[in-house]
């Protein structure tokens, strides 16, 4: 069973916490993690790009000149791709990029990602994360206490003071247990999670 330190917001160690091996101590499956990241990025694509082919642009209903005798190359339409204002060859059309993963695969990938963060000592557990007001400077002090730059902060509840305080820091993202995903865990260098959120994660995924 993995054992990690619990810190306060000032960066001082105040205790220890045993992590559930069913979530934070599984065998890391790199293939599943990779598949989950690919699926997440693919599902973020809108797929709404569109350009017109020669059959869709307006005009070009008749031959611009006769087939022979003009000295020009033969042309059938002024809306062929080689003409200005013509259609696009193999024009992109709206499509669905989504990639599906079943529920067990998603859960296994997330467990592998969390385990990898524990093994790399990139999981920081806070006793609590509370701010009295919306103040980015106060949230930055918490990051500075742990010398963090790029961090994913997992909260046990929707705390608008924390969320709005962290919003102005480009290298930090806040999330809740129910929106935690493999991509975010792998994207950010360090995962900062409250003690209560650890308990919630174990309850959901164990």
């Amino acid at each position: 069973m993995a054992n990690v330190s619990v810190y306060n917001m000032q960066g001082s160690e105040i205790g220890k916490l045993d992590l559930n091996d069913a979530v934070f101590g599984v065998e890391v499956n790199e293939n599943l993690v990779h598949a989950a990241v690919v699926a997440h990025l693919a599902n973020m694509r809108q797929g709404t790009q569109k350009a017109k082919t020669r059959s869709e642009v307006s005009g070009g209903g008749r031959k611009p000149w006769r087939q022979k005798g003009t000295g020009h190359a033969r042309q059938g339409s002024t809306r062929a791709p080689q003409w200005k204002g013509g259609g696009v060859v193999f024009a992109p059309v709206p499509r669905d990029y989504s990639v599906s993963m079943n529920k067990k695969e998603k859960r296994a990938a997330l467990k592998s990602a969390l385990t990898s963060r524990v093994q790399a000592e990139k999981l920081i557990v806070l006793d609590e994360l509370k701010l009295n007001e919306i103040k980015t400077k106060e949230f930055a002090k918490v990051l500075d206490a742990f010398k963090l730059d790029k961090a994913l902060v997992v909260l046990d509840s929707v705390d608008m003071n924390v969320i709005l305080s962290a919003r102005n820091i480009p290298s930090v993202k806040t999330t809740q247990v129910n929106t935690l995903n493999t991509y975010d865990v792998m994207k950010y260098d360090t995962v900062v999670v409250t003690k209560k959120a650890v308990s919630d994660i174990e309850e959901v995924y164990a």
Side-chain angles (χ1 to χ4, degrees):
M1 182 174 286
N3 185 277
V4 295
S5 299
V6 178
Y7 299 91
N8 59 21
M9 291 172 54
Q10 289 71 43
S12 301
E13 183 177 340
I14 59 174
K16 294 285 186 180
L17 179 66
D18 290 329
L19 300 177
N20 190 334
D21 284 344
V23 178
F24 296 96
V26 302
E27 182 179 350
V28 177
N29 189 326
E30 294 182 2
N31 290 333
L32 265 185
V33 173
H34 177 263
V37 170
V38 169
H40 183 90
L41 292 174
N43 294 337
M44 288 175 65
R45 297 185 68 174
Q46 288 185 312
T48 55
Q49 74 275 40
K50 177 72 175 75
K52 292 183 178 181
T53 64
R54 62 183 296 169
S55 67
E56 296 171 313
V57 292
S58 62
R62 60 182 290 273
K63 283 175 69 69
W65 49 75
R66 67 181 189 271
Q67 181 83 344
K68 293 177 177 293
T70 64
H72 294 296
R74 56 193 174 190
Q75 300 291 334
S77 170
T78 56
R79 287 299 174 258
Q82 72 270 22
W83 284 74
K84 181 179 184 298
V88 178
V89 181
F90 305 131
V93 294
R95 55 172 287 193
D96 181 13
Y97 288 96
S98 63
V99 176
S100 62
M101 287 184 73
N102 64 49
K103 189 174 181 180
K104 285 186 177 180
E105 288 177 325
K106 288 180 181 179
R107 292 168 70 94
L110 180 56
K111 290 178 184 180
S112 290
L114 291 170
T115 298
S116 69
R117 284 291 173 255
V118 173
Q119 293 175 348
E121 297 182 352
K122 294 293 185 179
L123 183 81
I124 295 176
V125 179
L126 296 181
D127 181 44
E128 64 174 1
L129 183 55
K130 299 289 184 183
L131 297 178
N132 295 325
E133 57 181 337
I134 300 171
K135 201 78 172 177
T136 302
K137 187 183 293 184
E138 294 300 316
F139 187 85
K141 288 180 181 178
V142 178
L143 298 180
D144 292 340
F146 296 96
K147 296 181 172 57
L148 299 180
D149 180 29
K150 195 174 181 181
L152 175 69
V153 180
V154 184
L155 305 173
D156 52 84
S157 62
V158 178
D159 188 330
M160 295 309 297
N161 282 356
V162 175
I163 293 172
L164 295 179
S165 296
R167 189 172 60 178
N168 284 337
I169 305 177
S171 60
V172 172
K173 179 178 179 178
T174 57
T175 187
Q176 284 78 46
V177 174
N178 61 342
T179 55
L180 187 62
N181 62 77
T182 303
Y183 173 73
D184 285 339
V185 173
M186 300 307 297
K187 177 182 178 181
Y188 292 88
D189 295 337
T190 307
V191 177
V192 179
V193 57
T194 63
K195 190 175 179 180
K196 176 65 167 58
V198 170
S199 176
D200 292 343
I201 291 172
E202 291 176 342
E203 183 178 338
V204 172
Y205 295 102

